Every structure is written in structure tokens, then in C-alpha cells.
């Protein structure tokens, strides 16, 4: 089995290198990742310019585009053969709840939805590499039985790992996405020339973060594993919208 690795922290990120060193022990793997940090890029594709690849000294391929660009090109002709699955990460920073809407880490995994095996998006819930080896061990254990995993087509697993030493992990929990409160107000700034601008501020705290959510699992010391699907159709709203459309007609 061949595995494509990517991320949104950039081709030189320590989490990507740690993931590669882990996966290459048991699988054939190839790395295609952004040439710089593209956190928050979501599923953006670059359509206004050509994308260029650069082979790095460590054998990784960098691309001057988004995480989705990287996986899209890798699966659609850039590589000599099509990989069997995608793993995105190891991201430094959580991707919980509403974060999946913006996350380049999750987006890279989502772009692998057409492959035979479900993609994995792996995040360590810390900006530090102190417990990166914990995330590596979690990935290793998941891949040891990956051939036993059966999921519907176009599915991915969003995995969030607490920032803890391995021996302090409580286990693994199957979770649903929680929801964050509204983000903090943007921060208005003025540059030395008097031009005004804004910094996007911090994300909201967990609002729907009770038992069963990814927020709750990580807070309690468990690895959170949330199955995600592409279909965003709101089926529960059909009857109300159908009644409303009857009035519109």
C-alpha cells in the first residue's frame, strides 16, 4: 500500500517529518506539501496561476499552493502511480468542532476522498512539539490495523490527540464534532503610513463541548476520532424548506 502524506504547516514542519519517519517503517509513502505554512486555507484550490513543484533535499516535494492543491495534483497525474490513501498532519494545533471548516489539515485529507481507503487528518492539540512522539505512536497503532477499517465511500477520520505523554493518555474515543462559540472580534491595527487593517482574532471556546464531543474527549485525556463525510445536505430541514417553497411558488 502506498500512502500520500501532506499537511498545512508546510513541507519543513516537524510534524510532517515525524509522520514520514513513522509511516515509512511499514509502508511505501510519498510527501507532497505546501512550501510554507498554509494553516486556515480550508479546501481552496489555486486557479489564477500555475503551480510549481520543488524537490527538497530530504526527498519531499513542495508546492507553491494550498494543501488541497498538493493532494489534488498528487492524485491526478503528478505522481507515477495513484496512492491508496492520504494522511494529513501531524498538525501542531487542534482541529476540533468548527475548526474543520477552515482547517487545511482536514482539507488535505478530504481531497483524498476518492481513494480506496479513508483518509486520516491527524492533529496534536498543542503548538509545541514536546509530546509529538505521542501523536506518532497513535498513528503507528492506527496503521497497524488500518486494513481492518471499513467505512462508506468518501469518508475521512479526524483525529485529535491530547498534548500529553503517551503513558498519560486515557484511551481512544469515537466522537462527534462539537461546536465553538463565535470568534473574538478582529483586532484593528494601523500601519506606520496610517493604513488601517485587521488581524483575525482567536477562535471561540467550545460551546457545544459536552460528553460525546471531540472537545470533551480531548479535555478528558482521550484521543478523539471523528468520522467525517462530504455530504453537507441538511436533511432534517427538508420538510420546513419544502413547505416554504410551496408558498414561494
Amino acid at each position: 500500500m502506498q500512502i500520500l502524506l501532506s499537511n498545512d504547516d508546510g513541507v519543513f514542519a516537524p510534524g510532517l517529518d515525524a509522520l514520514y519517519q513513522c509511516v515509512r517503517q511499514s509502508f511505501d509513502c510519498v510527501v507532497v506539501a505546501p512550501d510554507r505554512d498554509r494553516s486556515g486555507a480550508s479546501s481552496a484550490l489555486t486557479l489564477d496561476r500555475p503551480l510549481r513543484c520543488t524537490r527538497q533535499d530530504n526527498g519531499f516535494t513542495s508546492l507553491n499552493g494550498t494543501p488541497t492543491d498538493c493532494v489534488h495534483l498528487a492524485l491526478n497525474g503528478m505522481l507515477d502511480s495513484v496512492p491508496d490513501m492520504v494522511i494529513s498532519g501531524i498538525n501542531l494545533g487542534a482541529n476540533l468542532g468548527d475548526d474543520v471548516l477552515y482547517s487545511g489539515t482536514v482539507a488535505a485529507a478530504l481531497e483524498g476522498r476518492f481513494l480506496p481507503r479513508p483518509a486520516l487528518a491527524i492533529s496534536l492539540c498543542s503548538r509545541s512539539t514536546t509530546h509529538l512522539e505521542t501523536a506518532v505512536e497513535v498513528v503507528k497503532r492506527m496503521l497497524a490495523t488500518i486494513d481492518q477499517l471499513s467505512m462508506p465511500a468518501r469518508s475521512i477520520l479526524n483525529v485529535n490527540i491530547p498534548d500529553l505523554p503517551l503513558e498519560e493518555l486515557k484511551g481512544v474515543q469515537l466522537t462527534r464534532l462539537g461546536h465553538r462559540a463565535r470568534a473574538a472580534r478582529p483586532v484593528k491595527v494601523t500601519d506606520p503610513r496610517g493604513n488601517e487593517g485587521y488581524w483575525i482574532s482567536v477562535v471561540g471556546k467550545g460551546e457545544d463541548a459536552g460528553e460525546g464531543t471531540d472537545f470533551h474527549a480531548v479535555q478528558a485525556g482521550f484521543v478523539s476520532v471523528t468520522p467525517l463525510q462530504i455530504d453537507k445536505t441538511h436533511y432534517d430541514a427538508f420538510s420546513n424548506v419544502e413547505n416554504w417553497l410551496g408558498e414561494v411558488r
Side-chain angles (χ1 to χ4, degrees):
M1 182 166 67
Q2 184 182 63
I3 299 178
L4 171 65
L5 308 182
S6 194
N7 72 350
D8 72 352
D9 286 343
V11 70
F12 300 113
L16 180 61
D17 183 65
L19 179 64
Y20 173 74
Q21 299 303 334
C22 168
V23 175
R24 70 190 292 261
Q25 295 177 22
S26 303
F27 300 92
D28 180 21
C29 58
V30 61
V31 178
V32 183
D35 61 359
R36 56 192 170 92
D37 190 335
R38 295 304 303 264
S39 297
S42 188
S43 289
L45 284 171
T46 301
L47 304 176
D48 60 348
R49 58 180 172 81
L51 295 166
R52 305 192 186 281
C53 303
T54 302
R55 183 80 164 180
Q56 302 298 329
D57 292 341
N58 60 2
F60 295 1
T61 297
S62 65
L63 191 76
N64 62 336
T66 67
T68 300
D69 288 332
C70 294
V71 178
H72 184 83
L73 290 186
L75 300 186
N76 292 288
M78 193 178 81
L79 301 179
D80 294 334
S81 60
V82 179
D84 299 289
M85 70 177 293
V86 172
I87 303 179
S88 179
I90 297 170
N91 189 67
L92 294 184
N95 279 302
L96 301 166
D98 303 320
D99 298 343
V100 302
L101 297 174
Y102 310 104
S103 168
T105 302
V106 175
L110 288 172
E111 194 62 16
R113 63 190 178 274
F114 298 108
L115 298 181
R117 296 185 182 276
L120 305 179
I122 311 293
S123 300
L124 176 64
C125 298
S126 173
R127 298 293 181 184
S128 164
T129 59
T130 303
H131 300 303
L132 184 56
E133 284 303 313
T134 298
V136 169
E137 183 60 29
V138 170
V139 172
K140 186 182 299 184
R141 294 179 183 182
M142 287 184 167
L143 290 180
T145 57
I146 196 67
D147 58 342
Q148 300 175 31
L149 175 63
S150 177
M151 293 178 65
R154 303 188 183 187
S155 302
I156 81 160
L157 292 179
N158 186 39
V159 181
N160 281 274
I161 301 157
D163 181 31
L164 294 170
L166 181 64
E167 62 273 13
E168 293 183 21
L169 285 183
K170 300 294 181 59
V172 181
Q173 285 189 356
L174 180 64
T175 59
R176 67 172 177 87
L177 293 177
H179 295 284
R180 291 189 182 277
R182 191 171 181 172
R185 291 172 60 88
V187 178
K188 190 174 183 178
V189 295
T190 304
D191 70 20
R193 293 180 175 81
N195 301 309
E196 293 183 346
Y198 294 88
W199 280 102
I200 297 292
S201 193
V202 297
V203 298
K205 294 185 177 181
E207 188 174 55
D208 173 13
E211 189 170 353
T213 68
D214 47 3
F215 287 99
H216 187 272
V218 168
Q219 185 64 34
F222 290 87
V223 175
S224 164
V225 179
T226 307
L228 303 181
Q229 63 181 358
I230 305 301
D231 187 356
K232 294 183 180 180
T233 306
H234 195 341
Y235 294 100
D236 290 343
F238 267 44
S239 59
N240 288 338
V241 175
E242 186 174 37
N243 292 336
W244 172 71
L245 289 176
E247 300 298 323
V248 172
R249 299 186 191 112

